[in-house]
Amino acid sequence: MSETTTIAPPDLDRRSGVKITARQEQSTPASDRNGGVDPIIELQDVDIYYGSYRAVRGVSIPIERREITAMIGPSGCGKSTLLRSLNRMNDLIIGARVTGRITFHGQDLYEAGVDPIEVRRRIGMVFQQPNPFPKSIYDNISYGPKVTGMKVSNMDDLVEEALTGAALWGEVKDKLKTSALALSGGQQQRLCIARTIAVKPEVILMDEPCSALDPIATAKIEDLMAQLTKQYTIVIVTHNMQQAARVSDKTAFLTAEVDKDGQRHGVLIEFDDTNKIFSAPSNELTEAYISGRFG
Amino acid sequence: MAIDTSRAETGYVHPSAAALKRRRIRLGDTLFRLALQFCLFVAFAFLASLIIYVLIAGWNRLDLRLVTNMPSGLASRADESGLQSALTGTLWVITLTALMCLPTGIAAAIYLEEYADNTRWYNRFLELNIQNLAGVPSIVFGILGLGIIARVFGLGFTIITAAIVLSLLVLPVVIIATREALRAVPPSIRLGSYALGATKWQTVRRQVLPAATSGTATGAILALSRAIGEAAPLILLGAVTFVRFNPEGISSRYTVLPIAIFNLIKSPQAELQELASAGIVLLLIILLLMNSIAIVIRNRAGKIR
């Protein structure tokens, strides 16, 4: 982190009115891609509890800027819990608690005084089931910029930009005022991505974004993700190992371990370049999982 | 081997394809269906006979004089008598009731459903008591209104007292119906809003409430329909049976349709009993109008803005 002096100090205070776009325009040197020297988010020894139950134990992962990091593992291994902790969506679950450190540009996201609302403005999220608002396509996109108080000179342009960014503009440009619920599942999910990028986050978290979609819609979303890494950092949770192999740069493999009291905790087994995980994993559990012998 | 169901193994002979067409009478199915239809018929027939009865009984009096004339005190002019003062009294009371109970009830429901932590005992206690409150007889609210609002607060036997008491009476209905409507809004909509960096209030105001409009409107109309038909608590609260003037403001004396109807029915004169039936029809018309407002709101909410 010490070399990254070009990055403005993170300022997640509600009052600050940070110019998000200014930060995004700072280009990352090409060498940083896959270079592993510029994590935008870092998890250090993270435990996540629901009440007294520890759902995730001791996870440390760096999330590299403008890469796609995939989290894979069997059901109940805490991938989604971990993902939600990255933009404090877990705060909405009563009793959820995080220990360890999760930093964003070096700022501890769980430090006192950090505003979860501001965190979510900077770290967006796309859900498993497409969840467009029961409003028009246009209003789905303009909602985020409006509620976050972004200074928008021309909302029409922003809507077009967001929909274009999510590879949906061509399909919906003549029906922006119609209900988003009339779109197909795949289009709805791309609308949710468009809605997320309309507020210009730096990171997009995706929680099994394709599991409710058919293969054609899935392929479109995967293409889109590759496009999005030009501007955004993506963390994706997926059940689909081929998907992780296809789209991601880094892969974290988690699994559930059972402790002596019979409780299951999610633990990180292996984190590495996706190529390495899928061709020469160093842990035999990883190898067993990706070859389909377990999970 | 268990999979093989051929004749040789099991001795079972499949019925011929023609058996698919054989006519069967499924007694249980038919009976159940008839029972359901009968129950529906009972409910509907009762309502229909009531409406037909009052229409016939009040037919002679169903003209504009019903709403333009004041009640007449002279027995000789009973056929000229109208219900204007009761109609205006009812409109005053119900409008004030709506203005007071709807915002309060909807706000309370939003708190309970969106903000309150349901794992806390005091919130569950509140919830339980709101449900109990919905079952309290309306006369009890009348006693409460008489003791506290009319006497202690000194508001007297006025329209505002009646409206406050009716608001309190139907508040639990508004709260319960609104909570149901809020609960029916999928959580994924809230999550989607939060994930964009919306605050709680923004999420409630701009996503949850609009999505719950239709259920809320239904609950509101149910509550007001109950309030408009109440007579019991208002007997205690000075809704006078014979009023020959329209209310002039919230601190005016008043009467309302249910009380006027009750009074007319007691009367020995046939003309006045006819007037009572016409009054019931009038009350039903107001209820229908209120329901159609709710339907309009629901249809508009259903459309995408």
Side-chain angles (χ1 to χ4, degrees):
Chain A
M1 283 305 290
S2 56
E3 303 106 303
T4 57
T5 45
T6 52
I7 295 169
D11 187 353
L12 298 168
D13 252 279
R14 181 182 290 201
R15 281 145 297 172
S16 59
V18 201
K19 285 277 282 185
I20 295 164
T21 42
R23 184 164 303 151
Q24 280 197 339
E25 279 153 15
Q26 292 167 355
S27 64
T28 310
S31 60
D32 275 7
R33 251 185 89 76
N34 305 321
V37 296
D38 183 21
I40 186 165
I41 296 180
E42 261 191 303
L43 294 91
Q44 290 159 21
D45 202 23
V46 170
D47 286 9
I48 304 175
Y49 295 83
Y50 293 122
S52 61
Y53 168 65
R54 180 154 70 176
V56 170
R57 182 175 65 81
V59 172
S60 301
I61 306 174
I63 309 282
E64 299 292 333
R65 177 190 272 265
R66 290 176 203 183
E67 281 192 353
I68 300 178
T69 303
M71 297 189 193
I72 60 170
S75 297
C77 72
K79 324 181 276 293
S80 293
T81 294
L82 199 57
L83 190 75
R84 281 197 302 268
S85 72
L86 301 186
N87 69 342
R88 295 197 57 173
M89 285 297 276
N90 271 348
D91 289 23
L92 302 172
I93 299 167
I94 291 165
R97 184 161 59 85
V98 172
T99 64
R101 260 169 78 84
I102 301 177
T103 58
F104 175 61
H105 291 298
Q107 165 69 52
D108 188 338
L109 287 179
Y110 285 84
E111 203 174 86
V114 171
D115 180 2
I117 307 272
E118 194 58 38
V119 172
R120 293 178 206 136
R121 287 174 188 183
R122 308 272 289 269
I123 306 177
M125 187 159 203
V126 175
F127 298 84
Q128 180 171 8
Q129 289 290 335
N131 59 346
F133 302 128
K135 296 178 183 297
S136 70
I137 294 170
Y138 189 98
D139 289 347
N140 262 274
I141 307 290
S142 65
Y143 177 75
K146 274 184 194 158
V147 295
T148 54
M150 273 171 69
K151 299 243 181 335
V152 180
S153 51
N154 187 332
M155 187 61 84
D156 293 355
D157 289 348
L158 180 70
V159 169
E160 177 172 349
E161 183 192 320
L163 286 168
T164 309
L168 191 59
W169 175 249
E171 291 159 64
V172 301
K173 63 174 187 284
D174 298 323
K175 48 179 182 180
L176 294 176
K177 297 290 178 191
T178 61
S179 170
L181 301 177
L183 297 174
S184 73
Q187 288 174 327
Q188 287 187 4
Q189 195 62 302
R190 276 179 285 147
L191 179 68
C192 291
I193 294 172
R195 176 174 92 181
T196 304
I197 62 184
V199 297
K200 307 205 183 291
E202 289 170 73
V203 182
I204 303 175
L205 309 177
M206 296 186 172
D207 191 355
E208 299 185 45
C210 301
S211 65
L213 307 181
D214 69 33
I216 294 170
T218 299
K220 281 188 182 153
I221 303 257
E222 288 179 5
D223 288 348
L224 175 59
M225 287 168 64
Q227 289 291 314
L228 290 173
T229 51
K230 291 189 186 124
Q231 281 187 67
Y232 304 96
T233 304
I234 295 178
V235 184
I236 178 175
V237 160
T238 178
H239 261 122
N240 179 333
M241 282 176 287
Q242 286 78 22
Q243 181 170 63
R246 279 192 300 264
V247 301
S248 70
D249 301 292
K250 300 275 165 51
T251 297
F253 171 64
L254 293 98
T255 192
E257 111 194 322
V258 182
D259 71 9
K260 59 182 182 343
D261 301 325
Q263 289 209 314
R264 291 159 64 90
H265 313 292
V267 288
L268 177 70
I269 298 297
E270 192 168 353
F271 174 75
D272 213 326
D273 286 346
T274 298
N275 286 338
K276 175 134 188 311
I277 291 271
F278 282 90
S279 57
S282 40
N283 189 294
E284 58 191 56
L285 274 174
T286 315
E287 208 269 325
Y289 185 73
I290 60 165
S291 61
R293 277 187 278 122
F294 133 80
Chain B
M1 81 165 215
I3 299 161
D4 188 350
T5 54
S6 70
R7 215 171 294 183
E9 286 282 331
T10 63
Y12 180 75
V13 182
H14 290 286
S16 72
L20 294 173
K21 277 187 72 183
R22 195 181 303 148
R23 237 183 116 70
R24 291 172 182 81
I25 295 164
R26 296 197 160 88
L27 195 62
D29 249 20
T30 316
L31 281 180
F32 188 58
R33 194 190 157 82
L34 281 175
L36 296 180
Q37 284 170 339
F38 176 73
C39 294
L40 186 64
F41 173 77
V42 169
F44 182 74
F46 192 71
L47 179 67
S49 54
L50 186 98
I51 291 174
I52 291 166
Y53 175 78
V54 293
L55 272 177
I56 292 171
W59 189 254
N60 291 329
R61 307 301 294 263
L62 281 173
D63 52 33
L64 269 183
R65 282 180 305 172
L66 183 67
V67 294
T68 55
N69 287 8
M70 287 291 172
S72 169
L74 299 168
S76 59
R77 297 190 53 198
D79 59 336
E80 288 288 306
S81 203
L83 285 169
Q84 192 185 38
S85 56
L87 175 65
T88 49
T90 285
L91 293 179
W92 268 95
V93 170
I94 207 66
T95 309
L96 280 176
T97 304
L99 288 178
M100 287 188 288
C101 82
L102 297 185
T104 320
I106 292 170
I110 291 173
Y111 175 76
L112 285 174
E113 200 54 35
E114 304 290 328
Y115 288 81
D117 174 356
N118 284 331
T119 59
R120 303 278 173 209
W121 68 267
Y122 44 84
N123 285 321
R124 286 206 304 270
F125 181 74
L126 266 178
E127 207 177 317
L128 183 71
N129 278 293
I130 286 168
Q131 280 166 17
N132 287 339
L133 217 51
V136 172
S138 57
I139 190 78
V140 176
F141 280 90
I143 297 167
L144 172 99
L146 178 67
I148 297 179
I149 294 157
R151 299 233 172 104
V152 177
F153 292 178
L155 290 174
F157 290 164
T158 56
I159 284 186
I160 187 73
T161 305
I164 291 173
V165 171
L166 288 182
S167 295
L168 294 175
L169 174 69
V170 299
L171 204 53
V173 182
V174 178
I175 295 175
I176 291 168
T178 306
R179 287 193 66 188
E180 289 298 327
L182 294 174
R183 209 172 302 156
V185 176
S188 63
I189 289 183
R190 296 179 180 84
L191 290 180
S193 178
Y194 290 135
L196 291 172
T199 61
K200 185 143 199 162
W201 170 237
Q202 285 168 334
T203 302
V204 169
R205 166 74 189 75
R206 306 182 67 148
Q207 297 292 351
V208 181
L209 275 183
T213 305
S214 131
T216 308
T218 309
I221 291 303
L222 267 179
L224 293 180
S225 305
R226 178 166 176 211
I228 207 170
E230 277 296 342
L234 300 186
I235 292 175
L236 291 176
L237 294 172
V240 255
T241 47
F242 189 76
V243 174
R244 279 187 55 81
F245 54 85
N246 289 327
E248 281 158 354
I250 58 170
S251 52
S252 201
R253 297 296 301 265
Y254 67 102
T255 189
V256 289
L257 280 170
I259 299 238
I261 292 166
F262 176 65
N263 187 44
L264 290 169
I265 283 176
K266 285 190 306 185
S267 146
Q269 272 182 285
E271 290 92 339
L272 293 184
Q273 293 188 0
E274 273 179 22
L275 187 61
S277 295
I280 294 172
V281 175
L282 187 61
L283 197 55
L284 286 174
I285 291 172
I286 299 177
L287 274 176
L288 266 178
L289 286 176
M290 277 167 42
N291 273 315
S292 45
I293 293 172
I295 290 171
V296 170
I297 293 175
R298 263 194 302 245
N299 287 347
R300 287 183 47 168
K303 273 194 223 124
I304 292 306
R305 288 157 294 276

